[in-house]
């Protein structure tokens, strides 16, 4: 197997470990990974987002976002509001409970990261981050 194929296999295995660990830690919070990602984007935006803006930030089509937002709203983590600037648009606002659950989901991500990358030194983690960042930037630029 060539090096590129080996790298792809390693990234796939690490990604699987990451997803499995994260999903397991999110279950007590009643969240799926996609719901946690949506919450994270809303918190980091630091302002209400339209559905289409959140879909763009998550790099998904808006219709895929609807069930995620429905579940978050049903759980009391986000609230929909008509956009006063465009009454045909809906804004998504994080609730106080949503902010609290988001904090707990952030801690779950940190735990997974510590579990996975704890075998590396800080210098090795920084280098890996740099290298993977280059791959990510180059491939999303297309």
């Amino acid at each position: 197997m060539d090096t590129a194929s080996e790298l792809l296999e390693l990234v796939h295995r690490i990604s699987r470990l990451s997803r499995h660990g994260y999903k397991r830690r999110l279950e007590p919070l009643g969240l799926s990974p996609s719901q946690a990602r949506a919450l994270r984007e809303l918190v980091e935006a630091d302002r209400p987002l339209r559905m289409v803006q959140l879909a763009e930030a998550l790099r998904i089509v808006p219709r895929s976002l609807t069930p995620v937002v429905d579940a978050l709203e049903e759980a009391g983590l986000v609230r929909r509001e008509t956009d006063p600037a465009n009454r045909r648009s809906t804004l998504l606002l994080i609730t106080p409970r949503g902010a609290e659950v988001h904090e707990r989901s952030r801690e779950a991500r940190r735990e997974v990261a510590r579990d996975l990358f704890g075998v590396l030194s800080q210098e090795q983690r920084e280098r890996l981050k740099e290298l993977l960042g280059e791959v990510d930037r180059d491939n999303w630029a297309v």
Side-chain angles (χ1 to χ4, degrees):
M1 191 181 292
D2 64 88
T3 304
S5 294
E6 288 177 23
L7 282 170
L8 187 60
E9 181 62 26
L10 281 170
V11 167
H12 175 74
R13 286 173 36 201
I14 298 302
S15 177
R16 187 168 179 232
L17 285 169
S18 170
R19 283 191 315 271
H20 179 72
Y22 191 40
K23 184 178 177 192
R24 191 175 68 245
R25 284 178 174 84
L26 288 175
E27 283 173 356
L29 303 177
L31 287 179
S32 70
S34 58
Q35 292 165 349
R37 276 184 62 217
L39 272 181
R40 185 172 63 245
E41 287 294 334
L42 288 169
V43 168
E44 290 177 359
D46 205 28
R47 62 182 167 77
L49 294 179
R50 292 182 180 149
M51 293 274 289
V52 70
Q53 292 170 313
L54 180 57
E56 287 171 4
L58 295 171
R59 295 178 175 157
I60 62 173
V61 294
R63 71 177 171 272
S64 297
L65 180 61
T66 301
V68 172
V69 172
D70 288 347
L72 292 172
E73 185 176 39
E74 189 174 307
L77 306 178
V78 299
R79 183 175 90 244
R80 286 180 169 110
E81 226 176 67
T82 302
D83 184 349
N86 179 353
R87 299 204 45 85
R88 290 177 292 157
S89 293
T90 300
L91 292 175
L92 300 171
L93 294 90
I94 192 136
T95 66
R97 176 160 159 59
E100 175 190 322
V101 169
H102 165 70
E103 266 314 304
R104 293 173 62 200
S105 73
R106 279 183 50 178
E107 183 53 35
R109 276 177 68 87
R110 284 191 288 269
E111 289 172 6
V112 171
R114 282 191 298 267
D115 289 351
L116 283 175
F117 300 110
V119 299
L120 302 176
S121 69
Q122 182 62 33
E123 183 179 310
Q124 289 171 320
R125 288 190 299 264
E126 289 295 328
R127 183 66 180 139
L128 180 60
K129 177 183 163 189
E130 180 183 313
L131 293 170
L132 292 174
E134 285 183 39
V135 172
D136 184 50
R137 277 187 301 280
D138 186 59
N139 285 286
W140 281 108
V142 176

